[in-house]
Amino acid sequence: MTPSYNFAFLDENTKRMLRRALLKAVAIPGYQVPFGSREMPLPYGWGTGGIQVTAALLGPDDVLKVIDQGADDTTNAVNIRRFFSRVAGVATTERTSEASVIQTRHRIPETSLREDQILVFQVPEPEPLRTLEPREAETRTLHALADYGLMHVKLYEDIAQYGHIATSYDYPVLVDGRFLTSPSPIPKFDNPKLDHSPALMLFGAGREKRLYAIPPYTKVESLAFDDHPFEIQQWEETCALCGSGKSYLDEVVVDDQGTRMFVCSDTDYCGQRQAEMPS
Amino acid sequence: MLAAFADPVFDSQRNFRELLQAMARPMQPRELPLLPPSPAPIAPAAMAVLLTLCDTTTAVWLQQPNEEAAQHLRFHTGTRLVEKPAEADFALISEPASMPPLEAFAHGDMRYPDRSASLIVQVAGFRTDAGARFTGPGIRDSAQLSIDGLPQRFWQQRAAMAALLPLGIDVYFVSANHVAALPRTTRTLES
């Protein structure tokens, strides 16, 4: 641990500001609370929102896991884990079941979460309506009026053009029947895990200076139409390493001839399954 | 003058985590791990919430202000004390029987429903085997909690406010070393 920083890098006033915003975020599920996002020692887009939320949560007894697209061993995940072991001295893990706080970029672990765990999402664009309406004042009004027709039109246009809803990640959800919310760019495969999750889920967007929350046991619906119900991705393949037919698979090109293999994106889940396999 | 948290960084972090889980799992009392000394009429658990969340950028309203309590809060948190309930980010209710109506507190703006008051209400006690049942975000099926020492009109005023959602007021009930939260989204089930 580097002693020249305050515990978990941020100063106490910043942590209190974040904590007040987090409590309001939990009290108003899916609503984006503005907060005073700070300069962090890494650029926007590298998870500064998630890092600030994690810094406001962490205590010396926490065990932190960080994943990037499901993997514990990618640059972003390794660096954020190392950052917090330096500035907070917290224990880190790659095991989902051992972690008390899990910071994630764009996946929800395959292993079911528990009530005593908190999942922190890194969010690039917290406003699900932003690509449809660039003005913040206007999107605020649309949320105030719960006027989400724009998003339904967008999904309808997908169906008209492609015959199905083509949005495959960052698939918009309605939280507690009220606020249209971005689940962050998780694949829509993970959307069902948001609904009635035992674990509290917090979302931080550093560049956009917004945070929001989905409390545990909260109704989270993925938008759909009666005749075009919500569906998740499916594969004909199973994981080439652990054989799982239930996890989210990444397609990997393995040579110059274009040979491909499908492997679990969740490295911890895949590794555990491989360890359990009879050798 | 009394002391505040013995270890401000870690004591407020541990209390915050309980407050966060309390707000995420409404009407399910949780234990606050560290209670600081506090001058009357502020209960130690209420002081723990104030020390954890308040600083120079917040406005606090005390139902029963006195010089010692005001000085203590100003010294340890630097917070601004306000005279009107409507101006408060945090309001401390030390005598629920005579608390102002809920309408007196800020309940947010349609574009910014988070700009609303959080009430810290000191109550006589909690019983999880009696009282009304609650449901809503954070509650698995239903949660039962009886809060002693809270006037009946609180529930009537709160029910009237439910029509304003997502506007509303969020409440932390404290008793001894326990806290139970009641966010605006929690609904009382008809028995």
Side-chain angles (χ1 to χ4, degrees), chain A residues 91-103:
Chain A
T92 60
T93 183
E94 297 191 359
R95 291 276 182 99
T96 301
S97 56
E98 287 171 1
S100 58
V101 176
I102 303 171
Q103 182 171 328

Side-chain angles (χ1 to χ4, degrees), chain B residues 104-168:
Chain B
F105 299 96
H107 39 262
D109 176 289
M110 274 312 274
R111 289 180 181 80
Y112 294 94
D114 58 306
R115 294 179 183 170
S116 49
S118 301
L119 267 50
I120 303 160
V121 183
Q122 299 178 184
V123 296
F126 299 126
R127 274 176 298 159
T128 51
D129 56 353
R133 291 196 165 272
F134 299 89
T135 188
I139 301 173
R140 193 176 187 163
D141 298 309
S142 69
Q144 189 175 29
L145 190 69
S146 162
I147 299 175
D148 299 333
L150 196 62
Q152 195 53 39
R153 63 189 165 83
F154 172 88
W155 297 109
Q156 289 152 3
Q157 290 164 2
R158 190 173 180 279
M161 205 171 252
L164 302 176
L165 277 171
L167 304 188

Side-chain angles (χ1 to χ4, degrees), chain A residues 38-98:
Chain A
R38 301 297 192 245
E39 278 296 312
M40 297 303 285
L42 74 171
Y44 287 142
W46 283 73
T48 53
I51 290 171
Q52 289 177 78
V53 171
T54 300
L57 294 175
L58 282 185
D61 305 330
D62 275 309
V63 181
L64 178 70
K65 171 183 164 86
V66 184
I67 51 172
D68 173 5
Q69 301 275 11
D72 294 272
D73 53 2
T74 51
T75 313
N76 197 206
V78 169
N79 279 314
I80 293 171
R81 215 161 43 231
R82 209 155 45 184
F83 173 72
F84 280 115
S85 49
R86 270 184 67 181
V87 299
V90 292
T92 60
T93 183
E94 297 191 359
R95 291 276 182 99
T96 301
S97 56
E98 287 171 1

Side-chain angles (χ1 to χ4, degrees), chain A residues 96-159:
Chain A
T96 301
S97 56
E98 287 171 1
S100 58
V101 176
I102 303 171
Q103 182 171 328
T104 172
R105 174 177 175 273
H106 310 357
R107 270 313 306 280
I108 297 176
E110 306 290 358
T111 311
S112 304
L113 299 177
R114 298 187 311 265
E115 291 193 349
D116 60 343
Q117 294 177 309
I118 299 178
L119 190 58
V120 179
F121 293 75
Q122 301 171 199
V123 183
E125 174 51 76
E127 178 49 73
L129 298 168
R130 185 61 71 231
T131 53
L132 308 170
E133 171 51 68
R135 292 165 295 179
E136 171 73 3
E138 199 59 31
T139 51
R140 288 254 152 204
T141 307
L142 293 173
H143 283 294
L145 302 172
D147 180 354
Y148 299 132
L150 270 177
M151 185 56 83
H152 282 105
V153 169
K154 188 218 172 228
L155 297 178
Y156 169 74
E157 284 180 346
D158 267 11
I159 294 169

Side-chain angles (χ1 to χ4, degrees), chain A residues 7 12-13 16 19-20 23-24 26-28 31 33 57-59 62 115 140-141 144 176 178 198 216-218, chain B residues 10 13 16-17 20 24-25 52-55 57-58 110-114 116-118 137-138 166 170 172 184:
Chain A
F7 181 80
E12 290 304 301
N13 283 321
R16 261 192 301 273
R19 288 167 181 168
R20 288 192 298 266
L23 289 166
K24 281 294 174 195
V26 173
I28 317 168
Y31 163 75
V33 183
L57 294 175
L58 282 185
D62 275 309
E115 291 193 349
R140 288 254 152 204
T141 307
D176 189 33
R178 180 58 181 82
Y217 306 118
T218 298
Chain B
F10 298 113
Q13 185 272 336
F16 166 69
R17 284 289 282 275
L20 183 67
R25 302 168 201 279
T52 300
L53 299 177
C54 296
D55 55 28
T57 61
T58 55
M110 274 312 274
R111 289 180 181 80
Y112 294 94
D114 58 306
S116 49
S118 301
D170 310 305
Y172 301 92
R184 61 197 71 187

Side-chain angles (χ1 to χ4, degrees), chain B residues 176-190:
Chain B
N177 58 347
H178 282 81
V179 61
L182 179 64
R184 61 197 71 187
T185 47
T186 303
R187 300 179 288 276
T188 312
L189 286 173
E190 302 295 330

